[in-house]
Amino acid sequence: MQKLTVLGCGALWALAAAMPVQANEQGLTYGVRPFYLMDKMDDGALKDKLMSCRGQAPERTLFSIGHRGAPLFFPEHTVESNVAAAHMGAGILECDVTFTKDKELVCRHAQNDLATTTNILVSDLSETCVTPFAAASGDEKAKAECRTSEITLEQYKSLTPKMDSSDATATTAEEFQGGVASFRSTEYAQQPAQIMTHAESIKLFRDLGAKFTPELKNASVEMPFDGFTQEMYAQKLVDEYKAAGVPASDVWAQSFDLSDIQYWIANEPEFGAQAVYLDDRYEASDEDEGLLDPMDPATFKPTMQELADMGVNYIAPPLWMMLTVKDGKMVASPYADAANEAGLKLIAWSLERSGPLNNGGGWYFQSVNDVVDTDGDYFTLLDALHTEAKVAGVFSDWPATVTYYANCMGL
């Protein structure tokens, strides 16, 4: 059984050495990527400001949030991914929380993602998959679905994590392990990474000097699950922080399910005060009017003010929701204006998940695609999120970019 070993100083410095640019005495480093992005920026005041900070030593900042660690180069939700994120100055780290067959909490982006994020299909546990591997055939893509709820904690910890990927053309389970996006790298995934439970993530993040943003994931199984209710699930997440002696002020618990946020507000008010409502209402539809207008907050129910009146203090939409284009520049969207007017703190997700931006940036940049044409626009968008939308923090798949910006701007 694979056991988590919280990396000591020697191993942490070894990882930092892989990113040797601008390291400070705590081993924090920007690496080369922020400087690469600056080189791609259009000339102007923002580029001049960022370039003026090239000699600064990196400092940890709560504005920089590790999205599943640093999955641009490391298998997500692993020790290695989060160590890398912490050494890039991420002040908050994320464990997406789901549960196993024996109702133990573990770090996975989804309860049913084991086929794409671990080696389960080529292990003895493949027989537990709810949808066994099916080879690509004709127009049918290869597929499989494997859930943490079908295996015990001990079995879960025997798995080896990998870069989140699958090969839709695969004819064997071994081939299905491939398919890593071209803009990601397996350079740091050649050696087995260390999978984590939620409790182990708490210890690791604290040892790394970071704070916590666990996300309570929607279950793939029907709830209650073997007597385990949604309320018990939400409470267990909080209880693991309390058992570890972590103050509520260090935790930003997240959920896409507003009822989870309401549960924490009512039953764990100290944790509820910083609970983050992950807003996917842009996907909602009205029976009479069809898809709600994602840029018109008046169509959203509940309204921003109603959320605030419930006791919600933090709201986190995808980053494109908070920006629009006016006179050729990125500016705050009506959504961002409405949230700020209601006193809601905004958190954005997720920077550096789009790959190269020479084609407009895709889904995460959809509201500003027309003014995005170079990788330097990662900084352009980040600046607009800060100065226009007034966000309190930004999730990133490579936190050094956000850390550099925040340090340079004195956030």
Side-chain angles (χ1 to χ4, degrees), residues 6-260:
V6 175
L7 299 182
C9 291
L12 298 181
W13 277 97
L15 268 176
M19 300 172 284
V21 179
Q22 302 300 107
N24 72 1
E25 65 273 14
Q26 285 82 40
L28 302 188
T29 178
Y30 295 129
V32 299
R33 184 163 174 80
F35 305 96
Y36 163 79
L37 296 178
M38 278 184 276
D39 286 342
K40 298 298 182 185
M41 293 179 69
D42 294 335
D43 291 339
L46 177 59
K47 182 175 182 177
D48 290 344
K49 171 62 177 176
L50 293 172
M51 292 289 281
S52 74
C53 298
R54 284 174 294 176
Q56 69 185 1
E59 298 293 337
R60 193 173 309 286
T61 169
L62 297 182
F63 192 77
S64 180
I65 307 170
H67 180 238
R68 315 183 203 180
L72 194 64
F73 276 26
F74 294 85
E76 64 186 46
H77 290 310
T78 60
V79 171
E80 290 78 3
S81 186
N82 282 286
V83 167
H87 274 282
M88 286 185 265
I92 304 174
L93 298 174
E94 179 185 45
C95 168
D96 290 329
V97 178
T98 188
F99 57 86
T100 60
K101 186 176 183 178
D102 43 356
K103 309 180 191 72
E104 296 297 333
L105 303 186
V106 296
C107 298
R108 287 292 92 196
H109 179 64
Q111 190 168 56
N112 64 345
D113 74 358
L114 294 179
T116 60
T117 63
T118 75
N119 69 333
I120 191 169
L121 288 177
V122 291
S123 77
D124 293 340
L125 292 174
S126 61
E127 63 187 22
T128 68
C129 295
V130 295
T131 302
F133 172 74
S137 177
D139 293 334
E140 293 292 322
K141 296 180 180 179
K143 63 182 180 180
E145 182 184 352
C146 310
R147 299 174 178 174
T148 60
S149 53
E150 299 299 312
I151 59 176
T152 66
L153 177 61
E154 182 176 5
Q155 290 171 321
Y156 167 80
K157 294 186 73 174
S158 73
L159 296 173
T160 299
K162 69 179 189 69
M163 295 296 287
D164 183 13
S165 63
S166 61
D167 185 345
T169 67
T171 57
T172 68
E174 287 75 16
E175 292 175 351
F176 193 74
Q177 306 302 294
V180 177
S182 61
F183 60 86
R184 296 195 178 105
S185 172
T186 59
E187 180 180 357
Y188 296 111
Q190 299 305 308
Q191 298 295 319
Q194 300 176 76
I195 208 164
M196 293 191 299
T197 67
H198 178 233
E200 288 169 339
S201 79
I202 295 172
K203 183 179 189 312
L204 176 68
F205 297 176
R206 182 160 54 186
D207 289 349
L208 291 169
K211 299 184 188 297
F212 315 84
T213 185
E215 179 187 338
L216 195 73
K217 304 301 295 190
N218 290 334
S220 298
V221 294
E222 185 177 349
M223 298 293 280
F225 173 74
D226 189 27
F228 191 50
T229 67
Q230 185 68 26
E231 292 76 17
M232 293 167 67
Y233 180 27
Q235 186 62 50
K236 188 175 179 70
L237 180 147
V238 168
D239 286 346
E240 293 199 346
Y241 288 95
K242 295 167 74 172
V246 174
S249 58
D250 286 353
V251 182
W252 287 262
Q254 313 168 67
S255 180
F256 279 103
D257 189 338
L258 183 57
S259 66
D260 293 333

